[in-house]
Amino acid sequence: MHIHEVKCDQCGQWTHGKNHRCEHCGAILKEEEKKEIAVRKAKGDSIKPRFVKINEEDGWLLVIGKYVIRTGQFIFYALISFLIWITSLTIG
Ligand SMILES: [Zn+2]
């Protein structure tokens, strides 16, 4: 069974990504992290908040739950940016 396999940078062998360390040489796996950073760099928005990821294999209940969380996060960040805007208006 293949569960989320990641290729090791150090030895080039495939290992389970969930361990965060290579089974063969013990190197820390940063494959996922690197991918995310690359994507964020490409988009050019490192300041933008990170929303909950919705995976294709998630069940419908989990997807609904994640959408609720995302909506909550969106409202939260909108509120924060609004407060910053208000503060900058009153101070500056
Ligand atoms: Zn390795």
Side-chain angles (χ1 to χ4, degrees), residues 28-66:
I28 298 158
L29 300 165
K30 289 182 176 176
E31 199 69 27
E32 288 298 300
E33 219 174 296
K34 264 192 241 167
K35 260 186 230 164
E36 270 197 37
I37 290 163
V39 167
R40 266 186 279 161
K41 270 184 186 173
K43 283 180 183 171
D45 53 2
S46 52
I47 314 149
K48 221 176 174 184
R50 289 173 69 186
F51 290 108
V52 173
K53 274 187 205 164
I54 292 164
N55 303 313
E56 279 179 41
E57 64 266 26
D58 287 345
W60 64 272
L61 197 66
L62 195 60
V63 170
I64 290 166
K66 281 183 177 180

Side-chain angles (χ1 to χ4, degrees), residues 8 10-13 22 24-27:
C8 175
Q10 297 299 311
C11 66
Q13 291 195 73
C22 177
H24 309 285
C25 69

